[in-house]
Amino acid sequence: MIRDLGVGDVDALVDLYRHLNVGDAPPSQEAVRAVFAHPGLRHFGLYDGEQLIASCNLAVIPNLTRGGSSYGVIENVVTHADHRGRGHGQAVIRHAIEQAWTMAAYKVVLTTSRKDPAVWAFYERCGFDSGDKRAFVIRRQP
């Protein structure tokens, strides 16, 4: 079952994120409250019993082009290492895309920092077209 995650799921989500970015510092309680209070940002999770095994988040952003249609951005796609290769990641991504469509988004964008062609192929199997747009990233220096 895939469902929206809330503040009560934060410990499970932060634990799952260890399979995404090893060594990340956990967020402060203030950051948790701010993230889950942000309008237009949703986190989705797939549970196996009591264990959160896959997740992603979706931001739906208002827009003044395309007739005022919003667009979605999917980030932080992760599946627990012990549960990979079983379709769980695809399921949460499909769910996020469906939610974006119900929120009248005209497109959904997903970026990844992974350099592994197998990861890129995974996103293409989810329906994303890597040749449609080019992404550029700049990071704030510490």
Side-chain angles (χ1 to χ4, degrees), residues 1-70:
M1 177 181 90
I2 299 171
R3 64 173 176 81
D4 280 83
L5 301 179
V7 173
D9 298 293
V10 167
D11 289 341
L13 185 58
V14 169
D15 188 52
L16 182 61
Y17 281 164
R18 291 186 182 116
H19 296 267
L20 179 64
N21 295 312
V22 177
D24 263 5
S28 68
Q29 287 302 311
E30 180 180 277
V32 168
R33 284 190 298 275
V35 164
F36 283 96
H38 195 284
L41 177 62
R42 296 170 66 188
H43 292 76
F44 305 109
L46 188 152
Y47 276 85
D48 181 13
E50 297 293 314
Q51 183 183 19
L52 179 62
I53 61 170
S55 180
C56 71
N57 64 42
L58 169 69
V60 175
I61 302 165
N63 185 30
L64 293 176
T65 65
R66 304 292 179 163
S69 296
S70 298

Side-chain angles (χ1 to χ4, degrees), residues 66-121:
R66 304 292 179 163
S69 296
S70 298
Y71 61 95
V73 178
I74 293 176
E75 275 287 340
N76 298 330
V77 177
V78 59
T79 299
H80 189 288
D82 294 342
H83 296 271
R84 291 183 180 152
R86 301 181 198 165
H88 303 308
Q90 286 182 331
V92 293
I93 288 173
R94 276 194 311 270
H95 182 81
I97 292 168
E98 290 168 9
Q99 295 303 305
W101 298 158
T102 65
M103 298 170 74
Y106 82 95
K107 72 176 178 183
V108 176
V109 176
L110 180 146
T111 63
T112 182
S113 61
R114 306 291 189 228
K115 306 294 188 242
D116 183 352
V119 172
W120 303 340

